[in-house]
Amino acid sequence: YQLTCHDSRRFISNGDPVVFGYQALFSPFIPLWFLGEEWNNPRTVKPEVWSYINPVDWKARDQAPNRNFFELVKRMIRIRRTYPEIFEYFPARVKDSNICKVETDRKDGFSYARYRNGRAILIVPNDGKTAEKFRISIPGKTAGITSPSVTVRDLLNECLLFSGKTTAFEAEIPAGMLGVYLVEPAN
């Protein structure tokens, strides 16, 4: 997924955590950024033409809500770097990537898991306009999770959600945000 390129007439992320995390950072193969998408660099060149001539306004990074988005992106990158066995597995064929669908009680959107060695990180987007409670199924054998007891942690909010025997869990996800959950065997 391409966030932007030199021929783009607009930025894609524009401060949107779902676009940034779901489509780029947690998907297989990490992208590169150089235009300030990770802090919502403002468009100042008129008319809007190629992105590469838009100057990077480094001061914009420290203004709200850009700073909040920048801190969120840093948390997402930290999660990716904390679990290299899951996110930095690059098979020779894209079809062999460690990714699978995650079922939820929502008809819209597509949730997925990145997995390896009996653990999975579930990426669940809420593209809606309101916070919603999601019922999220654990992809079990598809993701190589064979333990009947699991621990589920909310990685973005750094909290334990559940520990015990289950095949699904519930989590509230704010509007326009991602849920990022680690599922691993319970101790």
Side-chain angles (χ1 to χ4, degrees):
Y1 180 79
Q2 178 176 305
L3 279 177
T4 190
C5 78
H6 66 278
D7 288 330
S8 178
R9 295 186 183 276
R10 62 185 180 90
F11 291 151
I12 306 302
S13 175
N14 277 336
D16 186 330
V18 172
V19 170
F20 201 93
Y22 176 88
Q23 295 182 169
L25 192 63
F26 295 123
S27 64
F29 314 111
I30 192 166
L32 300 174
W33 302 278
F34 64 94
L35 296 170
E37 278 278 77
E38 66 275 24
W39 73 83
N40 204 18
N41 184 49
R43 289 298 300 233
T44 58
V45 174
K46 300 291 182 201
E48 289 188 11
V49 289
W50 303 282
S51 295
Y52 71 88
I53 65 171
N54 190 63
V56 174
D57 181 358
W58 294 96
K59 292 177 186 169
R61 181 182 55 186
D62 295 321
Q63 300 167 4
N66 298 344
R67 186 68 193 192
N68 295 338
F69 185 61
F70 181 62
E71 294 301 325
L72 175 61
V73 168
K74 287 185 352 185
R75 283 197 322 265
M76 289 187 212
I77 291 171
R78 199 173 308 119
I79 290 167
R80 185 179 174 106
R81 293 295 184 226
T82 300
Y83 300 95
E85 71 280 3
I86 291 174
F87 290 113
E88 295 177 15
Y89 170 67
F90 303 114
R93 294 176 354 129
V94 174
K95 286 185 173 186
D96 296 330
S97 294
N98 56 338
I99 188 169
C100 67
K101 184 176 182 177
V102 170
E103 298 291 335
T104 72
D105 60 349
R106 300 286 181 253
K107 300 292 183 213
D108 55 336
F110 182 87
S111 301
Y112 64 86
R114 298 290 308 280
Y115 60 89
R116 198 141 186 240
N117 301 329
R119 300 180 346 167
I121 296 179
L122 285 54
I123 309 299
V124 183
N126 178 3
D127 275 334
K129 302 288 184 206
T130 61
E132 297 286 340
K133 186 172 272 192
F134 283 68
R135 179 139 181 90
I136 304 162
S137 295
I138 296 171
K141 290 182 183 174
T142 306
I145 301 168
T146 56
S147 174
S149 282
V150 296
T151 298
V152 179
R153 298 184 195 294
D154 179 335
L155 295 178
L156 281 180
N157 295 303
E158 300 176 342
C159 65
L160 176 68
L161 291 181
F162 179 85
S163 188
K165 292 183 179 186
T166 190
T167 58
F169 63 96
E170 289 188 349
E172 185 165 321
I173 304 173
M177 184 53 103
L178 292 172
V180 181
Y181 309 104
L182 171 66
V183 179
E184 61 186 345
N187 291 334

